[in-house]
Amino acid sequence: MPQKIQIRLASERVNASVAINRRYPKIFTPGEVITVQNEREFMRGHGTYEEVGELKASVAGVKEQVNNLVSIRPLKSRYNGEIGDVIVGRITEVQQKRWKVDTNSRLDSALLLSSVNLPGGELRRRSVEDEQMMRQFLQEGDLISAEVQNVFSDGALSLHTRSLRYGKLGQGVLVKVFPSLIKRSKTHFHNLPVGASIILGNNGFIWICPTLVNSEESVGGFIQNLEEVISRQERETIARLRNCILALTQSKMMLYDTSILYAYEESLKYSVVELLVPEAMADVAILTQQRLTMLDNV
């Protein structure tokens, strides 16, 4: 029996995240000529290469120019970590004195045994017994929140969870978005007044969970209470926040506590399931953008 398949043309998909003053810049495709080197001396930046005296784009993106330095900012890319970034990741492998963590970057990140808090907060050197118990601390599939401690020469990240804010995550929902949509701020841990907590990872992984009574005790360490019963109201709140984030992501809007809270308030006229309808997602995103614009103009 034939099925209807709806395919949108590429010309109809406009990326609003690259709009500057509501004007959409030119999007360069790989191999497209950016400028002719003979006309003016330009320096090659990221996402460009030189061929036969012409500067060409090596990735699909928009042009950015600082004096004579020309680069192409890709519309979609993997996470490029920086020291101090808050990330949410998943343990993929337990190795000798370290864990491998999927952080949505090109290479798996490393979490050293010496970079985690021991149960009970003991301050001592890691022993052979600690190394043998690594899988009891964190095992494959566990979700963690951590901070980028160092960036290696090959681009791989070294993580740490020494602060009590970080550690193994319990019950909640993981949402994956483009890392470029996460707005950098002083804090990425938020207890929203709607009855849920959210961790906005700089790597594009967002964790939504029930409100943390004390974030330092609830998130830090290795305690993972999976037997606790989450009320229906809290589960609906978490599901609504997840759908609101997907609605903002669909319109390429920046994600931070204010934008997510505004989207949640605008979505209350829809049920949780209705929020997945494209028309409802677009309506919530437009109303949220209007409120954010009014806030910026105040």
Side-chain angles (χ1 to χ4, degrees), residues 231-248:
S231 66
R232 179 182 178 87
Q233 182 179 357
E234 287 180 313
R235 296 199 303 270
E236 287 184 353
T237 300
I238 292 174
R240 183 177 292 275
L241 281 171
R242 175 219 179 239
N243 292 347
C244 289
I245 290 174
L246 294 180
L248 297 179

Side-chain angles (χ1 to χ4, degrees), residues 70-255:
V70 178
S71 59
I72 299 294
R73 177 168 62 90
L75 300 178
K76 297 180 182 179
S77 64
R78 283 282 190 170
Y79 168 62
N80 294 316
E82 298 180 11
I83 296 177
D85 281 357
V86 174
I87 64 98
V88 174
R90 188 183 296 276
I91 303 294
T92 58
E93 188 178 352
V94 181
Q95 298 182 343
Q96 184 177 11
K97 294 185 179 180
R98 71 181 61 198
W99 292 272
K100 285 292 185 180
V101 186
D102 174 20
T103 55
N104 197 27
S105 54
R106 292 184 297 105
L107 302 172
D108 280 345
S109 304
L111 176 63
L112 301 179
L113 178 60
S114 59
S115 299
V116 303
N117 284 327
L118 293 174
E122 289 186 80
L123 298 176
R124 57 176 173 78
R125 295 188 63 179
R126 308 310 189 253
S127 61
V128 177
E129 289 77 12
D130 293 326
E131 186 175 348
Q132 293 173 346
M133 294 178 62
M134 282 180 60
R135 193 166 261 105
Q136 296 184 21
F137 299 156
L138 295 169
Q139 60 182 347
E140 292 87 346
D142 285 346
L143 284 167
I144 63 168
S145 61
E147 183 177 318
V148 178
Q149 183 179 26
N150 194 15
V151 181
F152 298 119
S153 57
D154 60 353
L157 306 177
S158 175
L159 311 176
H160 81 86
T161 62
R162 290 197 188 95
S163 172
L164 291 179
R165 292 184 304 168
Y166 307 126
K168 184 189 292 187
L169 301 174
Q171 299 190 67
V173 172
L174 179 67
V175 185
K176 299 181 181 181
V177 301
F178 298 126
S180 58
L181 296 181
I182 303 295
K183 184 177 181 179
R184 293 183 177 273
S185 58
K186 292 183 179 179
T187 177
H188 287 258
F189 292 80
H190 302 284
N191 279 336
L192 300 179
V194 298
S197 296
I198 190 169
I199 303 176
L200 298 171
N202 288 111
N203 59 331
F205 288 1
I206 300 176
W207 178 253
I208 312 172
C209 60
T211 302
L212 302 172
V213 179
N214 187 330
S215 60
E216 293 190 351
E217 294 180 358
S218 301
V219 179
F222 305 100
I223 300 175
Q224 189 179 36
N225 188 4
L226 299 179
E227 298 179 357
E228 180 183 357
V229 178
I230 307 300
S231 66
R232 179 182 178 87
Q233 182 179 357
E234 287 180 313
R235 296 199 303 270
E236 287 184 353
T237 300
I238 292 174
R240 183 177 292 275
L241 281 171
R242 175 219 179 239
N243 292 347
C244 289
I245 290 174
L246 294 180
L248 297 179
T249 304
Q250 187 73 23
S251 297
K252 305 297 186 294
M253 293 177 59
M254 296 298 290
L255 300 173

